[in-house]
Amino acid sequence: MRLVYRLITIVFLILLQGGTVFAVEATLRILPDKGFYSPGDTVQLTVSASAGSQVQARISYLRTVITTLDAPLVGGEASLTWTPPPEAPRGYGVSVTILDENGTTLAAQSTAFDVLNHWIEAPRYGFLSDFNPARVNDTPAIEWMLRHHINGVQFYDWQYRWEDLLPETDRFDDGLGRPQSMVTIRRLIDGLHARSIAAMPYTAIYGASWAFYQQHQDWAMFDARGEAFTFGDNLIGIMDPTPGSAWNVHLLNEFADVLDNTAFDGIHIDQYGSPKTGFDGEGNPIDLAEVMPQFIDQTAEIVQDRRGDAGVTLFNAVGNWPIEAVAPSQQDASYIEVWSPYNDYLDLNRIITNAQHWGDDKPVILAAYIHPDRVINWRLANSVILASGAYHLETGEAGVMLADPYFPRFEQIADADQPVFTRYYDFVVRYENVLSVGTTAGESARHSAISVDDVRMRGIRSRDRVVPIVRTGADFETFNLINFLDIDVSDWNGVTTVPPTPLTNQPVTINVERPVAGVWVASPDSEASMEAVALPFAIEGGTLSFTLPRLDYWTMIVVEYEHGT
């Protein structure tokens, strides 16, 4: 597939002498050279434009312009370089304009980048699922990831077998008969590493091929009738991962083998959500809610031994289970695959804040599968997820979204929808210091502290109201307003066909107990609204008041307080 970048076409009407009107059309692409930057790294942005002679860029931290850059366009391309301050984690916005030889603006677009101590501080997790020996061009996928600031990638079903991860030959068929190549896998890992993107191998905590299960039936998990649990139609046998069991020792040795013989950056562990309890071959009870965190800790020890502090251990809490047990474990982030009964858009927020609570504010990654044709669904879902300080595993292969739990069944994002999709990724990086890193979920009372004129804002479900999601920092509060007014379906995994009704020039009040230094807004809903805009405000009797210019899907309001108050 030809990689489609966000395309901004701005037509300027230029009135010249005699009233002649000319239309100038220019396309613009901005590509960072890394998924994230470590302290001391130099940022390089490649700017490509179909017209123009000069590039100008403003780099900002939140609402403060830090520096400006400029460079000539030579052959339609320019390179902008800048070394950020060493402070981390910190996200930056970049606003680029293309000028012609007369200084007239032809096109404008924004992007972002961030400086992190470790990618897992702000894990924008993506995926790869094609490891065919015929795959020879990795550039479209890697450039797509760079444009969306992906900094960690799950290699999904890359392995030879679930119980025998590394093949003995370069070319092999996986457990579902797909042709794979270790040359392709190693090349992809190296290509990602060259761009500061981590590579994580998919594994399953208790899955074994049917042939392996038949050879080791006493290693399996059994139900109360003494029958072994299976997954699929004689596809996978469910084994007993209890620490010290034969399967446990076997799989952990496989993990060590992978880390010893590949450049993967850690281990990603999956489960299937069922069974939750069972018995071992001797009839002893197994409670996987107790076993899973122990298994995670065992894996983390292997990762630490082979990769040190750079290594990462992740585990899939399928259906949000057993998040209370695994979130406090030695996993580096809470990864949750969302299923029913968590159907409402607001259930996504509740899952995230619960995981943040049990995980002592570790990062949270949701895998919630939405077909890219359901644009209203993924816009609202991403608004809730990102506003809650979390991240959404949904893309990686070029131009696609995950539409199914079996990752190779991804679907293409329509060209027309890619600009808004990309803006969400720019937005969460640009404003990460008031959305995610260094912030915590606001107390429930703070969600009730904000009112928007006479708009309905309270309730358990999302439909027909504006939902406030609050994040709290040292000297600020972030009030994210998500608009669900007049949508027809509030199930994120259903088909929402009616978009929210926009609001304009709405009076807003917030109860405050500290001196306010400033109020500003930004939104990923349009290119223009990506820029932070300060709002005039008034305070009377502990009530902050101002006018909200617009709310389409998601508008972020940041209230800054006097330092130290």
Side-chain angles (χ1 to χ4, degrees), residues 456-467:
R456 178 173 175 261
M457 300 185 70
R458 316 291 176 242
I460 297 176
R461 298 300 175 194
S462 57
R463 190 172 177 180
D464 291 330
R465 69 186 183 102
V466 171
V467 173

Side-chain angles (χ1 to χ4, degrees), residues 219-246:
W219 293 17
M221 275 187 64
F222 301 88
D223 62 20
R225 297 169 298 178
E227 297 181 0
F229 289 107
T230 62
F231 182 81
D233 185 13
N234 291 347
L235 176 65
I236 293 174
I238 303 298
M239 314 303 276
D240 170 20
T242 302
S245 69

